[in-house]
Amino acid sequence: MREFDISPIKDEFKEEIDSVKKFVTRAHDLRAGEDMNELELANIQKTVRGLSYVMMFAAYEKMLRGLCRSLIEVAASFRGKQKNLSTPFRLIGMYPMIQSASNSAESDQGNSKSGVTAGSYVRYWSGPLEKSSVSSERDAKKLNPDFWPDNGSFMQRSQVVFICKFFNLDSAINQLERVNQDIDPVVRYRNSIAHGGQTAAEIGGNSTKADILDLLDRWKERWCAFLDEVYRIASQKDYYLKK
């Protein structure tokens, strides 16, 4: 089994956040002149502050998706059967069965939405699937690295909690500290801009340069602490194997 390496994920995330900081700082270093009056400059700076939320969100989403993929790829490098892997990875191997059962239940209720929801996850985790003697004889290498533990909240804090519970990484969420309260506003501001609810300038007008830079520093520091805790847990071979 290959070793789990958090460095590429962590380094890319840090670089992305540092780029956003430079973007914000340089925009606020601009001065009005012949090509731009004070009002135009202020609007540009508000737009940049608003766009910083979009960029923070993108770095955060890519980091989490990359993390999930990396964990699955390490488990898939095990030279054995899926039945010998720890519960999260056995569940991933059984995903088609879970999805089929979930879709059937939702269809019976007249709900066309498909996928593993938070409800179906809890139901199968604490119910027959976890306690079942059914196990997959498929090779670990057949695990789907694109599996995404989705609770339907689209990157809100509850999604992070869901991912941590799914992968048995509960202690990592505690490393976020105040960022636990920052996640949902960042997602909300990003969505408002992306879906036309408000302009970037309107969102950015509610924050100062100092507000954004403080948030970026906190975002970088605490997510890196989160990744360090994930590495502490997932760098152990036993993490991937059935107890």
Side-chain angles (χ1 to χ4, degrees):
M1 181 182 291
R2 82 180 202 191
E3 293 185 359
F4 175 62
D5 185 6
I6 201 77
S7 297
I9 297 169
K10 186 177 178 182
D11 290 346
E12 182 179 39
F13 177 77
K14 288 162 63 176
E15 288 173 8
E16 288 295 317
I17 300 303
D18 287 343
S19 294
V20 182
K21 284 189 66 176
K22 289 178 182 177
F23 180 52
V24 173
T25 300
R26 290 180 181 177
H28 286 78
D29 286 342
L30 294 173
R31 296 293 178 264
E34 293 182 3
D35 298 330
M36 180 169 50
N37 61 39
E38 292 288 349
L39 185 60
E40 291 170 330
L41 176 59
N43 192 61
I44 288 172
Q45 291 171 339
K46 285 190 291 186
T47 298
V48 167
R49 295 197 298 273
L51 289 175
S52 68
Y53 290 109
V54 178
M55 298 167 77
M56 269 189 280
F57 175 91
Y60 149 67
E61 181 178 16
K62 186 172 184 185
M63 177 267 292
L64 277 184
R65 288 186 179 275
L67 175 61
C68 291
R69 184 180 185 88
S70 184
L71 289 169
I72 297 169
E73 287 177 342
V74 173
S77 71
F78 173 63
R79 295 181 179 178
K81 304 294 184 182
Q82 291 177 16
K83 67 180 181 180
N84 295 318
L85 297 174
S86 58
T87 301
F89 304 105
R90 296 203 311 276
L91 284 169
I92 292 170
M94 295 184 218
Y95 174 67
M97 180 178 71
I98 300 172
Q99 188 178 45
S100 177
S102 176
N103 289 348
S104 295
E106 288 163 353
S107 178
D108 290 342
Q109 297 169 10
N111 184 352
S112 61
K113 183 178 179 181
S114 64
V116 180
T117 64
S120 63
Y121 166 81
V122 171
R123 182 166 65 254
Y124 286 107
W125 177 274
S126 60
L129 181 59
E130 171 65 5
K131 298 173 183 177
S132 174
S133 61
V134 175
S135 59
S136 177
E137 291 293 334
R138 301 182 73 194
D139 291 339
K141 66 182 179 182
K142 296 197 179 287
L143 289 176
N144 179 10
D146 293 322
F147 176 86
W148 175 244
D150 185 9
N151 74 340
S153 72
F154 191 61
M155 304 309 301
Q156 294 182 28
R157 181 182 178 273
S158 62
Q159 175 85 67
V160 183
V161 173
F162 184 75
I163 289 170
C164 288
K165 286 186 177 297
F166 184 88
F167 282 109
N168 294 331
L169 300 169
D170 299 82
S171 62
I173 198 76
N174 298 326
Q175 301 301 318
L176 293 178
E177 298 180 354
R178 186 177 166 188
V179 166
N180 275 301
Q181 285 74 55
D182 293 326
I183 296 171
D184 287 357
V186 168
V187 174
R188 186 168 62 251
Y189 296 150
R190 176 267 178 193
N191 289 345
S192 186
I193 294 169
H195 301 301
Q198 290 178 282
T199 66
E202 288 172 331
I203 294 291
N206 296 321
S207 303
T208 65
K209 171 189 174 184
D211 292 334
I212 297 298
L213 293 180
D214 285 348
L215 175 57
L216 284 165
D217 285 339
R218 190 163 66 246
W219 199 252
K220 176 181 172 181
E221 177 187 0
R222 299 324 308 168
W223 279 116
C224 285
F226 171 91
L227 291 173
D228 287 341
E229 178 65 7
V230 171
Y231 178 75
R232 184 189 70 79
I233 299 167
S235 60
Q236 305 299 314
K237 183 178 179 181
D238 288 349
Y239 167 75
Y240 303 91
L241 301 179
K242 185 177 181 181
K243 302 296 189 290

